[in-house]
Amino acid sequence: MQTETRDEMRERIIEAALKRFTHYSASKTTMNEIADDLHCSKASLYYYFPDKNALHLSVLEKAGEAYFVELETAAAGKSSAYEALMEMISIRHAFGKRFCRLELFKVLRDKQILNSADIFKYARERETQIVANIIRKGVENGELITAEPEKVATLYIQSMIGLRFSMSHNGMSDDISDEEFETVRGWQTMLADIFIKGLKK
Amino acid sequence: MQTETRDEMRERIIEAALKRFTHYSASKTTMNEIADDLHCSKASLYYYFPDKNALHLSVLEKAGEAYFVELETAAAGKSSAYEALMEMISIRHAFGKRFCRLELFKVLRDKQILNSADIFKYARERETQIVANIIRKGVENGELITAEPEKVATLYIQSMIGLRFSMSHNGMSDDISDEEFETVRGWQTMLADIFIKGLKK
DNA sequence: CTTTGACTTTATAACTAAAAAAGTCAGAAA
DNA sequence: TTTCTGACTTTTTTAGTTATAAAGTCAAAG
């Protein structure tokens, strides 16, 4: 029962932090505020997490997990690669808007945070694998042709991320206006279109 | 004759600044250093340029002009769109390496600098026009098919710029290692390839 | 018209002190 | 033994200070 309770408490903390982080932002949220929300002491939080960064990463991991599950479900449900990629853009868009205050890019830029580079590398690879699977599936059913689905998937993801940066007026900031968000989405859609066409002989 | 001499002096100043800027960097160069190089007083520089930013922009304009001329010449000389785009990547790569100390991105990010946004907008549009022309030419001779060369060109340029940012470890910094430069170039080449294939049929 | 030395103003960098937040720990509670 | 906390220390941010360097000005000279 100990292990059960322990994980439950961790979960409650992550949940509380997620709420604060998404409403205000990660850097504007203090450990005391999270503790107060849970009617417990700040020291308790440190019993479950070594430091604030670890908690932050756990929050990102939780949001990321939901993101990937949704992506994988959606990808599996679509019959054509084209539809799957478009759905991916849609989901990415929704999550980007919803979780922009989690300061993902800020964490990524911060070299001090232990393991942050690894976690993001894993996330990017997982996203790339989803695209790679979509492409492989497309190749199998004759919709697409390519000798290196993995490499194409990497290029695709990096290009999509790049568009997000190069079209946004703020560059690599986590903040981005709704209008810019829509613009980026438009260009991403067009790029996906060209990719699909480019992978047919 | 006055006008003649005046422009010559402006040119000499820009030349001197360009040397200092490319060797050290724009922000590490002082107006006094430039004046000393020219064996004139700092006040003279202010007779020809309203402030340091104006001089900096003139330097960027000069480098940019050389870049565009080279691009346009190269693009005109290639018979296929594929070759033209590849040559463009090559030229872009060489200029990026050569002029990275001009702090182009830093200037772009600085909202205070008067007209900087306009100048960069013009530069991006000119680059886009070159790509648009390559695409139009490709459409004319049957190499490519698309209903909107302009829009495709915009997407192409933004994607290329985006790859530069998303692949670089430093994000939007002007500094980038030689190794990363080569990596970016590799991915840009692959993306150009997919664009070309995507614009057939 | 062009140039300059001497000048003023503005930005930068290096400290500082005060406040706030992060993080620790001995011991209490369950 | 595991979980929790009040009281504590340490670290980070912030705001304010100064000194220095660089930007920018101007009356007067060439």
Side-chain angles (χ1 to χ4, degrees):
Chain A
M1 176 192 166
Q2 298 302 42
T3 324
E4 229 67 32
T5 322
R6 190 174 172 83
D7 286 356
E8 271 170 33
M9 185 56 184
R10 268 183 67 94
E11 206 52 38
R12 288 181 59 220
I13 294 171
I14 292 171
E15 213 70 61
L18 181 64
K19 264 186 199 147
R20 280 264 171 198
F21 286 2
T22 51
H23 191 46
Y24 307 98
S25 73
S27 55
K28 292 280 185 194
T29 301
T30 71
M31 293 299 267
N32 270 314
E33 287 170 338
I34 297 169
D36 290 348
D37 287 351
L38 292 165
H39 304 291
C40 76
S41 75
K42 179 176 60 168
S44 287
L45 303 184
Y46 285 93
Y47 179 71
Y48 292 96
F49 295 91
D51 54 35
K52 193 186 178 185
N53 284 329
L55 172 56
H56 194 163
L57 288 178
S58 288
V59 168
L60 286 173
E61 210 172 2
K62 188 183 174 68
E65 194 53 37
Y67 172 61
F68 287 123
V69 167
E70 196 168 330
L71 274 191
E72 279 154 6
T73 309
K78 298 291 175 182
S79 55
S80 77
Y82 179 79
E83 283 176 292
L85 290 184
M86 288 303 162
E87 186 64 18
M88 263 192 89
I89 290 175
S90 202
I91 292 168
R92 170 184 267 274
H93 182 77
F95 268 79
K97 266 183 140 166
R98 186 161 165 219
F99 292 123
C100 64
R101 305 221 178 168
L102 293 187
E103 296 172 353
L104 196 128
F105 297 133
K106 199 178 177 185
V107 173
L108 181 53
R109 249 178 286 124
D110 192 340
K111 306 291 191 292
Q112 292 186 315
I113 301 176
L114 199 66
N115 297 330
S116 77
D118 295 331
I119 290 175
F120 283 107
K121 197 181 166 201
Y122 165 78
R124 209 169 49 247
E125 277 170 6
R126 188 159 170 189
E127 214 173 357
T128 302
Q129 274 314 312
I130 294 171
V131 174
N133 283 333
I134 291 172
I135 293 174
R136 273 191 282 265
K137 204 168 149 189
V139 170
E140 276 168 32
N141 67 30
E143 185 185 355
L144 306 176
I145 298 175
T146 178
E148 34 195 17
E150 286 268 345
K151 220 178 157 198
V152 172
T154 302
L155 177 66
Y156 179 87
I157 288 293
Q158 292 292 349
S159 299
M160 288 294 166
I161 294 171
L163 271 183
R164 160 70 173 69
F165 293 145
S166 76
M167 304 296 307
S168 150
H169 203 270
N170 278 336
M172 298 197 75
S173 158
D174 286 283
D175 278 331
I176 176 171
S177 74
D178 283 5
E179 200 189 343
E180 281 182 323
F181 238 125
E182 292 302 331
T183 308
V184 170
R185 189 188 168 153
W187 290 109
Q188 286 182 336
T189 304
M190 189 173 168
L191 184 59
D193 213 72
I194 290 193
F195 257 87
I196 290 287
K197 284 189 187 140
L199 298 176
K200 295 178 180 175
K201 171 58 192 18
Chain B
M1 175 195 166
Q2 297 304 40
T3 324
E4 228 69 30
T5 322
R6 191 176 170 81
D7 284 357
E8 271 171 34
M9 185 57 183
R10 269 183 67 94
E11 206 50 38
R12 287 181 58 220
I13 295 171
I14 292 172
E15 213 71 58
L18 181 64
K19 262 185 201 148
R20 280 263 171 200
F21 286 2
T22 50
H23 192 46
Y24 306 98
S25 74
S27 56
K28 292 279 184 191
T29 301
T30 72
M31 292 300 265
N32 271 315
E33 288 170 336
I34 298 170
D36 289 348
D37 287 351
L38 292 165
H39 304 292
C40 74
S41 75
K42 178 176 60 169
S44 287
L45 304 183
Y46 285 93
Y47 179 71
Y48 292 97
F49 295 92
D51 55 33
K52 194 186 178 184
N53 284 330
L55 172 57
H56 194 163
L57 287 178
S58 288
V59 168
L60 286 173
E61 211 172 1
K62 187 183 176 67
E65 194 53 37
Y67 172 61
F68 288 124
V69 166
E70 195 169 330
L71 274 190
E72 279 154 7
T73 306
K78 298 290 174 183
S79 55
S80 78
Y82 179 78
E83 283 175 293
L85 291 184
M86 288 302 162
E87 185 64 18
M88 263 192 89
I89 289 174
S90 202
I91 292 168
R92 170 185 267 274
H93 182 75
F95 268 79
K97 267 185 140 166
R98 187 161 165 217
F99 293 122
C100 65
R101 304 219 176 168
L102 293 188
E103 297 172 353
L104 197 129
F105 297 134
K106 197 179 179 186
V107 172
L108 181 53
R109 249 178 285 125
D110 191 339
K111 305 292 193 289
Q112 292 186 315
I113 301 176
L114 196 68
N115 297 330
S116 77
D118 295 330
I119 290 175
F120 284 106
K121 195 180 166 200
Y122 164 77
R124 210 169 48 247
E125 277 169 7
R126 188 159 169 190
E127 215 173 357
T128 303
Q129 274 314 312
I130 294 171
V131 173
N133 283 333
I134 291 172
I135 294 174
R136 271 191 284 266
K137 204 168 149 190
V139 171
E140 276 169 31
N141 68 28
E143 185 185 356
L144 306 177
I145 297 173
T146 178
E148 35 194 17
E150 287 266 346
K151 220 178 158 198
V152 172
T154 302
L155 177 66
Y156 178 86
I157 288 294
Q158 293 292 348
S159 299
M160 288 294 166
I161 294 171
L163 271 184
R164 160 70 174 69
F165 292 146
S166 75
M167 302 297 307
S168 150
H169 203 267
N170 277 335
M172 298 196 77
S173 158
D174 286 283
D175 278 330
I176 175 170
S177 73
D178 282 6
E179 200 190 343
E180 280 181 323
F181 238 126
E182 293 301 331
T183 308
V184 170
R185 189 187 169 153
W187 290 108
Q188 286 182 336
T189 303
M190 188 172 169
L191 184 59
D193 214 70
I194 290 195
F195 259 85
I196 289 287
K197 283 191 187 138
L199 298 175
K200 294 179 179 171
K201 166 60 189 41

